Structure formats: structure tokens, C-alpha cells
Amino acid sequence: MPKPVYLAAALALFAAPAFADPPRAPAKHFTAADVFNLEYANSPEISPDGEWVAYVRVSGDVMTDRWRRSIWIVDRNGNSHRPIAQGKGGYSQPTWAPDGRALAFVANEDGATELRVYRFDMQRAMTLTRLPDGASNLSWSPDGKTLAFQMFVEEDAPKSAALPSKPEGAEWNKPVRITDQVNYRADGAGLLKPGYTQIFVVPADGGTPRRITWAGRNHDGRMSWTPDGKGLLFSANAEDGWEYDPQGSDIYLLNVETAAIRRITTRKGPENSPAMSPDGKSIAYTGFDDDGSSYQVSELYVANADGAGAKSLTAGLDRDISDPQWAGNGAIWFMYEDKGATKLARIAPGGGKITTVLGNLGGTLADRPYTGGAYSVAKSGRFAAVTSNSQKPGDITVGGNGKEATLTSLNADLFSGKTIPGATLITTPSSYDRRPVEAWVVRPPDFDPARKYPLLLEIHGGPHTAYGPVFAAEVQLFAAAGYIVVYANPRGSTSYGEEFGALISHNYPSQDYDDLISVVDAVIAKEPVDPDRLYVTGGSGGGVLTAWIVGSTNRFKAAMVQKPVINWTSHVLSADNPTFFARYWFGPMPWEEGAQAKYWAHSPLSKVGNVSTPTAVLVGEEDNRTPKGEAEQYYQALKIRKVPTRLVLVPGSSHDIAGRPTGLIAKVNETISWFAQFGGPPVPDPNTGTSRSGETTPVAAAR
């Protein structure tokens, strides 16, 4: 029986040799070792007076192979920049007190969770309470006397049948585990404990948390206090049948004193991220009317405080809205995605003109160039946001009154003396229907137009997500290895409107294949690409499309299919959130009449008989989103057909393989190593970025 290939411990790449090496010249390109030194900002929180920004600073830790999270503050001019909480633990969710004199946050140290408050007058943090589980959605009451938060509360599991009496000293197996939940496991968490997320309040000067929700439902959406401090708005999927309605959520008003709950919205579809106006007269939130499509645009709504009179403010924008926040009573701020870019905008509560304030949010991920972002706004309209471009990860930018300034440069030391290539936008018509498709090209750092380079197509997951011109460590590593890298937003991608995104609804994969091949042809026509050295990879939804591509064409020299879905029937009944995938991506359940033909027609396994391209498969061993059984089916099928292949299993990894720095490095290096067997450049030295011959890899790749 063929044995799967397991990844060696990636830290061995950086182990000290038995004898000291001579001093090395600094690497000129981004290297695998640099991943551990990357830093980026996230969760910016501007102080009520707009003078300070607290944020989460994320950095790699080479000793623990983790992304370390600490909390820093920076003043409005960038002159004072210092940590508030850092160390061996993880620190998150900085949240300013209404008077700006304190900062609450969550500390996780040695497996224990604490709520802490940093008092600026004392210049120290104090522990409010220790918690049995993690805390989320911290929120101060308007008077600053109370903190609300959400926490999972475990409940009793179904009891197992009795066993015979155990003899003294006998060693028996652990008791059976029983579940009766519809969603009984989750990616990154594994088998779920029985229980629900509930809402608690705790005095801001310390004390015992008081639980204020009790129903057998998850009360886990964003919270917003009423101005009088007597109520909390929150969103939740909490009506009867909630387990079978994955898109259902409503907004509720919770009386903090009596624990009485009142539902104030009733849409068929999601209503999320409620935010109450400072005067208590209106609420803003996001949502859409669910029609069963796999993609619908979320709009910004405003309604009376009791939920009546709801009105969409962004119906004409045709872009996804997220994270509405009030700046006083006169403006609602929000983020939206537009053609691969995340933008910050505002609108009056009564509607009217949308003003785009900032257009380059992002950089809140280290691995791939997904859209995203984070911001906060003060009552005055002064804001803080995480911004990025294709040559730098997320930094803190502040602004107000039409003026912006970037306060941090977290990777200036790491990137000093290195060439970090930027991304160039291209647009090409799809061969299928001439729709314009956008893509970005990243050239090798020592690019020479007189040479010919291999091309690497990297495909995003989702499929309803988008790439954009933001920094991505994986793209930089591929480029430094000597590839011209292209990544695209084929039909189905977000940020181009509902019609474009829904083109693959109940029809995926399909003509997104044509879009991607059209992008490859456009790059070959514009760039010095060797057409005989084309390579393709992608993860999750990108893994689906990679497998679909090699089942549809033999143009590519080699492929790496990462964490894919290969057989839709097995996937929808083995992945986490089983009520979502079948309903929204296909419509009928796989056992319904006529459904199997549709499921099979869109399964890459149906095309495996066409595959001749050398194709490796990579997946996390603990992936519950696209379980490893999907990758194993494809690997076994390729093996049976004697197509060159290998199976790469990442130990301890969920769907988020880049959740550890070595996972990110392994994904890239295993892909480059596989491609190198079929004409691609060699894997660069992880410390110097040079090939085995001592030359920089772009030169080696051109030979």
C-alpha cells in the first residue's frame, strides 16, 4: 500500500548546524525564514477623543511556531508607540472605556482566559475575572461601569449506556462520546462540546460575571448597548429550527436587569452587526432577503430603535457591506469591497450620497491576498484603519477632515535591503462570454524582461471571496522562487456585484474555469512567460478549481491541489456545517431525485479519467471544512490511474494550514518542490533565498 508523505518538522529548516557557518550576506528577497519575522496590525480601536489607537500586533514566533498577538497603542502623530500587553500568551480585543481612561482586553495565558483592564492613570493592567472559556465581543456600558461579553457555556452531553463494573487496577478505553447535535464538529475546533454561547456582564472594577441569557441557543452576534445602559442589542440565529437554517439570524433587544429578550427584526435571511445610534433612536445593521442563492450582497439598513421602518441605504451600491459604526448621530460608517479592494465609506442615516473615505484597507492576513480590513471611528469622525498594499502587510492609518497618515511601519526593518515586488492589475475578457475578469501579476524580484519565466496560477478559495492588491507571503515566496505569479477574481468572486458573484450559484465549478484560462492566456501574451512551463495551485475552492483544470486541459506541467472538495456527495455529508453546503451550493439534498447527476457533474472526481498532469494533493490532517477524505479520494484515484502524484498531510492542521508559520512555509515549499520535479525552479534556500547553485532563483528559473 502506498505510504502518504508527511511533512518533516519545518523548524528543522532553521536548526543550527553542528559547526558554525561563515557569516551570510543579507537575503535580497523575501525568504521562508522571513515568515517568522512578519508583523501586521489588526483590530484598530480609536480612543473616544481620537488621540490614540489601540491595536492587535500579530507576529510570528519561531520558538513556538505560532502567530503571537500583543496589544499596542500609538498616538495620533505616531510619536509614542508602546505595548500594553505582550508576552508568551495571546492578547486580543482591545476596547476603550467611554471616558478613554482605560482599555479592556482578553488575555489567554497557559490555556487560561482572563478579562483585564489597563488603567492609564496607574500604567498597569488589572484582572477583572478569570473565565472557564474564551470571551468575545467585549463591550463597555455607556457609563463605563459594566463590561458585557459572550462566552461558551458547556452543557451535559447525552449519557452513554452503562458498562459492567470495572475491576480495580483495570485499564479500559475512554468512555464513548455521544452527540445529538446537527453541527457536531467545526473546523479548527474538532468535535464540539454540547452547549451554547451566552451573554454575561461583569463590573468594570472587577467581580463575578453575571449570566443574562439562558435559552438553548447561541447568543453570539455583535452587541451594542442602548444609551441608557439598560439594554443590549445583539444578533443571533435563535429561532425554532435554527440548526437547520444556517443563514438565519435576527436582531434582539436584551434587558440587562431582567434578562427579558425581545426580537425586533423578522426578515427571512440574515440580519447582523447591529449598532445603535448614540441618541438611541435608530439602529444600523447589515442583511439581505435570502432567496437560496449561493451569493447575495449584504446591504446596509437603518431602522427605528424597535426595528420598525427598516430601509436599505446601499441598495444602489451593489457591493457587500460590513461592520457599520456610528460617528455621532450624523453618519454611519461601513466597509465595502469593490473590485478586489476593501474601502471605508460613510453615509447619512437618512440615506443619500455615499462618501468613500479610504480605499486601501486590508493586510489582516499573512498568507494569501484576500480582501478584508478593520477600522473604528470616533464620535468626531476621526478614524483608525488597517491599510496595506501588495508590498507591505497591514499598518495603522488614521484620518479625519480629509487628511490621512500612516502611523506604523511594522516591517520596515525586515524589508530593508530586500526587493519586494508589487502586483500589477490586468483585465481581460473571458473566452466564455467576454465579461471582464480582473487579475494581478507579480514578477520575480530580479525580473529581467529578456528572460523567459515559468508562470504560476494561484486560485483563491471561497468560492465567494476575492483577492486584491494586498501583501501575501505565499505570493512573494513563489515570486522569489522564480515564478511570474498571477492570481485572479473569476466569476463567483465577491466585490464585483451580486450578478457577477451569483453566476456560479448552483453551478460551481463551471465557467470560472474559462475565466482563469483566459487570464493565463492574457499573461502569456503580455509577459515573458515560457508557455511550456505553466503551473497551477489553489486551496479550498481554489483546490476544487485546480483539480477541475487538470481534468479539463493538459496545458499545465504540474499542479498542487490543496485541501479540495473532490466529491460533492461525500463532502456535504462529512464537512462541518452540513446544512449549508447542499442547500446553498446545489439546492436539493444528494439523496433527492435527480440530485446525484448534478452533484457528479460538478465533482472534480468525475474528470479524473482525463488527468495526465502530474498532480500532488495537500491537506491538513484535522481539516473539518474540506475533510482529508476528499484529498485522499483524489490521491487514490490518481494513483490507480498511474498519474504522477503524492499526498502531503500536514499534522495537527485544520483548514487554515497557514494558522502556523510552518504551515504557510510548508504549503509553499512543498508546492515548489513538486513543481521542480517537472521543470520548475528549485526550492530556494529558506534562509538566503538562493538556489543550490548559489544563484538567485529568478536566474536559475530562466535557464
Side-chain angles (χ1 to χ4, degrees), residues 183-204:
N183 296 303
Y184 68 95
R185 60 178 176 169
D187 188 63
L191 189 65
L192 296 175
K193 298 176 182 177
Y196 304 95
T197 298
Q198 305 289 1
I199 298 175
F200 294 77
V201 291
V202 65

Side-chain angles (χ1 to χ4, degrees), residues 287-515:
F288 59 82
D289 295 312
D290 186 5
D291 65 6
S293 171
S294 67
Y295 176 67
Q296 294 173 258
V297 162
S298 287
E299 299 178 26
L300 172 64
Y301 287 82
V302 67
N304 298 333
D306 62 359
K311 173 187 176 183
S312 173
L313 304 184
T314 60
L317 181 60
D318 194 26
R319 294 292 187 269
D320 277 307
I321 305 302
S322 62
D323 197 8
Q325 300 181 30
W326 292 84
N329 296 305
I332 304 172
W333 290 55
F334 59 92
M335 294 188 295
Y336 72 96
E337 295 181 358
D338 181 41
K339 297 183 177 181
T342 303
K343 299 181 178 181
L344 180 62
R346 66 173 184 264
I347 191 172
K353 180 183 178 182
I354 295 172
T355 301
T356 299
V357 178
L358 200 62
N360 61 329
L361 274 67
T364 54
L365 292 171
D367 54 341
R368 295 193 281 168
Y370 282 112
T371 55
Y375 83 102
S376 65
V377 62
K379 182 178 180 180
S380 65
R382 187 163 178 81
F383 67 87
V386 178
T387 58
S388 175
N389 60 42
S390 59
Q391 294 172 288
K392 74 177 187 68
D395 277 306
I396 297 296
T397 294
V398 296
N401 299 319
K403 298 179 180 179
E404 291 88 38
T406 299
L407 303 183
T408 63
S409 185
L410 301 183
N411 294 280
D413 53 346
L414 176 62
F415 290 174
S416 177
K418 296 181 187 290
T419 300
I420 307 295
T424 300
L425 174 67
I426 65 168
T427 304
T428 190
S430 172
S431 63
Y432 178 72
D433 57 8
R434 312 307 293 172
R435 290 176 188 271
V437 179
E438 290 193 339
W440 286 265
V441 175
V442 179
R443 297 167 169 175
D446 289 338
F447 178 73
D448 180 353
R451 299 181 180 274
K452 289 285 188 179
Y453 292 86
L455 180 143
L456 191 153
L457 172 64
E458 207 284 334
I459 309 172
H460 73 62
H464 298 303
T465 55
Y467 276 164
V470 294
F471 182 87
E474 292 185 20
V475 171
Q476 291 293 331
L477 290 172
F478 284 133
Y483 290 94
I484 289 179
V485 183
V486 59
Y487 56 89
N489 285 335
R491 68 192 62 212
S493 300
T494 58
S495 77
Y496 297 88
E498 187 167 292
E499 192 262 349
F500 186 83
L503 286 171
I504 62 169
S505 181
H506 300 181
N507 186 36
Y508 164 73
S510 58
Q511 288 76 46
D512 35 4
Y513 162 83
D514 301 280
D515 297 349

Side-chain angles (χ1 to χ4, degrees), residues 37 80 96 118 168 208 325 414 499 510 620-621 629 642 647 654 699:
N37 297 314
S80 179
W96 289 96
Y118 187 92
E168 184 177 353
T208 301
Q325 300 181 30
L414 176 62
E499 192 262 349
S510 58
E621 284 193 320
K642 299 181 180 179
L647 177 63
S654 67
V699 175

Side-chain angles (χ1 to χ4, degrees), residues 544-605:
V544 174
L545 280 164
T546 301
W548 195 262
I549 284 172
V550 296
S552 303
T553 179
N554 61 2
R555 289 181 62 184
F556 291 85
K557 291 284 287 185
M560 173 65 85
V561 175
Q562 301 179 33
K563 49 187 180 181
V565 175
I566 293 302
N567 182 338
W568 284 110
T569 298
S570 58
H571 175 263
V572 301
L573 297 176
S574 62
D576 62 352
N577 203 2
T579 58
F580 177 85
F581 293 112
R583 178 175 177 180
Y584 288 98
W585 288 6
F586 287 92
M589 293 296 172
W591 55 84
E592 295 179 17
E593 185 175 356
Q596 271 302 298
K598 188 173 185 178
Y599 277 67
W600 184 247
H602 293 282
S603 294
L605 190 59

